[in-house]
Amino acid sequence: MSNLKTTSYKRYIDNLNDLRTFVNDSHKVQLGQSSGSGAEQFVIEHANFLTKSALVQLCVCLESYLKDVLSEIYKEYQQRVANANLPKNVIVIASRDKENKFSKAAVNKATKDLEKRENAEAIFLLQENENGFDDFISGNPDRTKVAFSYMGIDLDKVSSYIQHKDLIQSIVLKRNKVLHYNDQASDLTFPDVIQISAVFEEYVEDIDATIQTAIAS
């Protein structure tokens, strides 16, 4: 596995470690292993709320990484397009893919932009929409796979994606139930969150390594 990491991955790990520190500290308080902070009673009385919050934050960290790294890939390829100095018609025609939502949006905007330019050979630059890639990003592994396929990355070739996608899906669904249906998630404990975070880290690390390979090629 590559030792190179994207900027998005480094930010993800920082956020994940901060969350783990919070969860581990809360668990110590719950077990009576940490005293003098005045937080014991709060943690004991609100342990379920805190574990649910941690679960939600795990998914937020994952989805933030996916959005950030997709943008990172996009900007890398955008720069390559600019550096290639290709004729506008070549790229516009090549981008007319009915199944590719990024390309459809890019063609519409780029065509209008290029029509305003006097240079017939103006460089065509892809553009994110006003919400970035929010419309395409989800912790749902199937949606993640589709989003990354638009950037030429096949997650079916990523071992941790295949190994963990069912668990990731179940955690995302559990998060959704907590947020939208007030699910109590009473079976969730602080150690559970730490264990899940390890799976999330392996999942993201393997995806990130695949991205680095793609960018380097």
Side-chain angles (χ1 to χ4, degrees), residues 31 50 73 83 96 100 108 126 143 152-153 158-159:
L31 295 176
L50 294 174
I73 301 166
N83 292 342
R96 287 175 180 163
N100 189 325
N108 291 337
L126 298 173
R143 288 185 61 187
I153 294 173
V158 178
S159 60

Side-chain angles (χ1 to χ4, degrees), residues 15-16 19 52-62 175:
N15 292 333
L16 189 64
L19 179 61
K52 289 191 297 183
S53 297
L55 182 75
V56 170
Q57 193 59 36
L58 268 179
C59 294
V60 169
C61 289
L62 173 62
R175 182 276 308 267

Side-chain angles (χ1 to χ4, degrees), residues 23-151:
V23 172
N24 279 321
D25 288 348
S26 297
H27 190 221
K28 288 178 182 178
V29 171
Q30 185 185 41
L31 295 176
Q33 297 175 358
S34 177
S35 61
S37 65
E40 293 90 339
Q41 196 63 30
F42 178 85
V43 171
I44 292 170
E45 292 180 358
H46 299 88
N48 177 251
F49 170 78
L50 294 174
T51 54
K52 289 191 297 183
S53 297
L55 182 75
V56 170
Q57 193 59 36
L58 268 179
C59 294
V60 169
C61 289
L62 173 62
E63 290 169 347
S64 294
Y65 164 78
L66 295 172
K67 177 183 175 181
D68 289 349
V69 82
L70 193 64
S71 182
E72 200 172 330
I73 301 166
Y74 169 83
K75 288 173 182 175
E76 169 67 23
Y77 288 147
Q78 182 188 52
Q79 188 59 51
R80 292 186 189 184
V81 171
N83 292 342
N85 198 26
L86 297 170
K88 68 166 187 177
N89 290 330
V90 171
I91 300 177
V92 171
I93 292 171
S95 300
R96 287 175 180 163
D97 177 359
K98 293 181 180 180
E99 300 302 319
N100 189 325
K101 297 179 182 178
F102 291 140
S103 293
K104 286 175 68 178
V107 169
N108 291 337
K109 185 177 189 307
T111 301
K112 293 178 182 178
D113 289 347
L114 291 171
E115 287 173 352
K116 300 175 183 177
R117 302 182 186 181
E118 295 180 1
N119 182 5
E121 300 301 311
I123 297 172
F124 167 70
L125 295 180
L126 298 173
Q127 297 290 329
E128 297 170 275
N129 63 37
E130 60 184 7
N131 296 318
F133 295 119
D134 286 357
D135 294 344
F136 305 95
I137 289 303
S138 166
N140 179 308
D142 290 332
R143 288 185 61 187
T144 298
K145 181 173 75 170
V146 172
F148 279 83
S149 73
Y150 292 142
M151 294 298 176

Side-chain angles (χ1 to χ4, degrees), residues 148-168:
F148 279 83
S149 73
Y150 292 142
M151 294 298 176
I153 294 173
D154 183 3
L155 293 186
D156 280 332
K157 296 180 180 179
V158 178
S159 60
S160 290
Y161 174 82
I162 297 299
Q163 181 181 355
H164 298 309
K165 64 179 183 178
D166 290 341
L167 176 60
I168 300 292

